[in-house]
Structure formats: structure tokens, C-alpha cells
């Protein structure tokens, strides 16, 4: 059994191994057994035992797409935060695809990490042709990557909102929608879990992610220069069929 806390605190995301736990039977029992239904805390305990396989598998796929990790600590932090923002954005796309109410149910159970958007930007653009709608949604996902990356880099919410609006709100309010959605990320994960994982496992992860030939991916420390973020996000979305 691979619990969510153990997964988030280890190098499991770098291993090509899927671990399985028959947790659905526990959920059904907790929801249908007359006595067990009275134990509200048990559902929270069950949620912590679920490791999101979709999220973890996307990490494993992404390591094969991105170039080598850099060696300098600051560059490595940006590399890992960018990778996390790409995977988190795919969580958002999955939730959009599942749609309400299943996306909300799956999020409550811990099966998915994203609860779903209040407004789906693709639905706001039904008047456009199919190819245009796809590009609008891709632009929205690009804005989600950018704002999520800034959040993981610990920029202030008001600065994230301003920067994403400035960069993505030219014709549609996708920058606003993306930033507001990214800022719904669990602040405990952003401010504690993610930095703790990097401080604990960053050196080992760096060595593991420097095994391939080629130049490392060195992201700028200037958030106003997101060219490489955009380029690699496009490659990621193309590979994942978005």
C-alpha cells in the first residue's frame, strides 16, 4: 500500500513502479455500513491512503520528455517546480474532461487532485470553430502552467494574478481564470510539502535526472521571461493530446 503522505515525501515519483491498493472496497464499506457511516473521520483517513496514480504516472512520463536537470540548486528548484506545474495542469485538464459532478466526487475521494474549474473556458468559446476552441483551451492551460509555476516559486497571489492577466488576457479572460484556479492549490502543499520534498530529495533527484546526454534545462530566474516554459509546455500538451 502506498499512502499519499509517503508518496509525497519520497522519491517514488522517479521509480517506474505502480503500487496498487484495493481502497474502493473500503470506501464502499465506509459509505454503506450503518455503524461505520457514523465515523466521519474514517473517510479522511482513507483519503490519505490514496496515491493519485494519474498524477504520478504523468510525472514518470514527463521525465522522459524534459531535458536533463541542471546542477545548481536554484536552477534545480525551478526545474522541479516547472515539472510540478506541468503535471498539476494535466490534473486540471483531467478534471475538466471528467466534468461535474464526477470530478468533484473524485476529488473528495482523493482519486484526482483537482476539483474542477468554476468556468470552463472552452465552453465560453462555443461560438468559435473547433480548431480555434482547441487553441483557446491550450492557451488557458498555458496560463495555468505559468500561474502555477509562479505560485510554486512562492510569488505573492496579487503578483501572480497581475502577471498572468497581463500575459494571457489579450482576447479572452483566460489569464484571470487560470490564476484564480491555480491559487486554489493547497497552500500547505505549496509552502511546506513541496519545499520540504525538494530539500529532502532534491540532491538525489538531481543526480537521477542528469543521466541522459544533452544540455540541461536552465530556466530563467526572471518570471517575465517565460519563453522556455511556454515552449516545453507546448511539447507536453502535444504529447498528451491536448
Amino acid at each position: 500500500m502506498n499512502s499519499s503522505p509517503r508518496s509525497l515525501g519520497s522519491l517514488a515519483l522517479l521509480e517506474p513502479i505502480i503500487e496498487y491498493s484495493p481502497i474502493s472496497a473500503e470506501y464502499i464499506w465506509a459509505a454503506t455500513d450503518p455503524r461505520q457511516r457514523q465515523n466521519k473521520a474514517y473517510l479522511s483517513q482513507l483519503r490519505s491512503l490514496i496515491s493519485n496514480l494519474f498524477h504520478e504516472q504523468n510525472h514518470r512520463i514527463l521525465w522522459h520528455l524534459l531535458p536533463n536537470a541542471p546542477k545548481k540548486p536554484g536552477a534545480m528548484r525551478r526545474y522541479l517546480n516547472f515539472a510540478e506545474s506541468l503535471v498539476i495542469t494535466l490534473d486540471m485538464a483531467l478534471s475538466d474532461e471528467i466534468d461535474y459532478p464526477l470530478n468533484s466526487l473524485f476529488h473528495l475521494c482523493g482519486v484526482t487532485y483537482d476539483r474542477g474549474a468554476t468556468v470552463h473556458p472552452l465552453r465560453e468559446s462555443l461560438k468559435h470553430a473547433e480548431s480555434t476552441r482547441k487553441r483557446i483551451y491550450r492557451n488557458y492551460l498555458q496560463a495555468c502552467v505559468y500561474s502555477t509555476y509562479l505560485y510554486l516559486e512562492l510569488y505573492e497571489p496579487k503578483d501572480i494574478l497581475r502577471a498572468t492577466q497581463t500575459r494571457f488576457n489579450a482576447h479572452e479572460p483566460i489569464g484571470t481564470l487560470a490564476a484564480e484556479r491555480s491559487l486554489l492549490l493547497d497552500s500547505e502543499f505549496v509552502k511546506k510539502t513541496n519545499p520540504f520534498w525538494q530539500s529532502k530529495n532534491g540532491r538525489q533527484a538531481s543526480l537521477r535526472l542528469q543521466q541522459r546526454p544533452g544540455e540541461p534545462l536552465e530556466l530563467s530566474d526572471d518570471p517575465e521571461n517565460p519563453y522556455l516554459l511556454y515552449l516545453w509546455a507546448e511539447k507536453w500538451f502535444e504529447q498528451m493530446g491536448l
Side-chain angles (χ1 to χ4, degrees):
M1 178 177 290
N2 190 32
S3 70
S4 180
R6 180 161 69 89
S7 176
L8 291 173
S10 71
L11 285 169
L13 295 179
L14 300 180
E15 301 292 346
I17 299 171
I18 301 175
E19 296 181 279
Y20 170 75
S21 172
I23 201 73
S24 62
E26 288 291 324
Y27 263 120
I28 293 171
W29 175 66
T32 58
D33 183 83
R35 295 183 62 183
Q36 191 61 27
R37 285 174 62 180
Q38 306 303 314
N39 185 359
K40 305 300 182 183
Y42 188 65
L43 286 175
S44 297
Q45 295 171 15
L46 283 180
R47 196 178 192 280
S48 72
L49 295 175
I50 292 180
S51 183
N52 189 316
L53 289 183
F54 180 84
H55 181 95
E56 292 192 0
Q57 283 301 91
N58 285 334
H59 266 295
R60 295 181 177 104
I61 294 169
L62 180 60
W63 302 137
H64 294 283
L65 173 72
L66 290 180
N68 279 335
K71 295 181 180 180
K72 295 180 181 178
M76 183 59 183
R77 185 201 70 239
R78 291 190 291 274
Y79 180 94
L80 291 174
N81 284 338
F82 177 51
E84 191 67 33
S85 70
L86 290 174
V87 175
I88 287 173
T89 300
L90 241 64
D91 293 335
M92 297 176 182
L94 172 65
S95 187
D96 291 342
E97 182 70 22
I98 296 172
D99 210 353
Y100 185 82
L102 279 181
N103 56 8
S104 179
L105 175 63
F106 287 174
H107 175 71
L108 288 173
C109 292
V111 176
T112 59
Y113 283 147
D114 186 82
R115 70 193 69 186
T118 304
V119 179
H120 192 319
L122 195 59
R123 296 197 190 101
E124 296 296 292
S125 306
L126 292 177
K127 61 182 179 294
H128 297 298
E130 175 65 28
S131 59
T132 305
R133 292 205 304 273
K134 183 175 181 180
R135 184 64 255 180
I136 290 171
Y137 187 60
R138 176 80 71 86
N139 290 344
Y140 167 72
L141 294 178
Q142 281 279 6
C144 288
V145 169
Y146 182 64
S147 55
T148 302
Y149 172 73
L150 294 183
Y151 195 19
L152 294 173
E153 283 285 290
L154 303 179
Y155 284 87
E156 291 294 326
K158 60 182 179 58
D159 295 328
I160 296 171
L161 183 60
R162 175 193 55 78
T164 313
Q165 287 174 330
T166 300
R167 193 162 299 281
F168 290 97
N169 267 14
H171 304 294
E172 308 258 349
I174 57 176
T176 303
L177 294 171
E180 290 175 347
R181 188 173 187 180
S182 295
L183 291 170
L184 291 175
L185 279 172
D186 182 9
S187 61
E188 186 82 7
F189 171 79
V190 173
K191 297 177 181 179
K192 294 184 179 179
T193 305
N194 186 53
F196 174 76
W197 188 94
Q198 292 186 17
S199 66
K200 178 185 177 184
N201 300 302
R203 180 174 174 75
Q204 288 179 278
S206 178
L207 293 174
R208 293 278 294 275
L209 296 171
Q210 292 170 6
Q211 302 299 318
R212 291 162 293 175
E215 293 297 316
L217 177 57
E218 297 267 3
L219 298 171
S220 171
D221 60 359
D222 179 6
E224 297 298 320
N225 183 20
Y227 170 73
L228 284 177
L229 300 180
Y230 188 91
L231 174 66
W232 284 102
E234 283 292 294
K235 291 178 182 289
W236 177 236
F237 295 142
E238 195 64 36
Q239 176 161 326
M240 305 308 286
L242 291 168

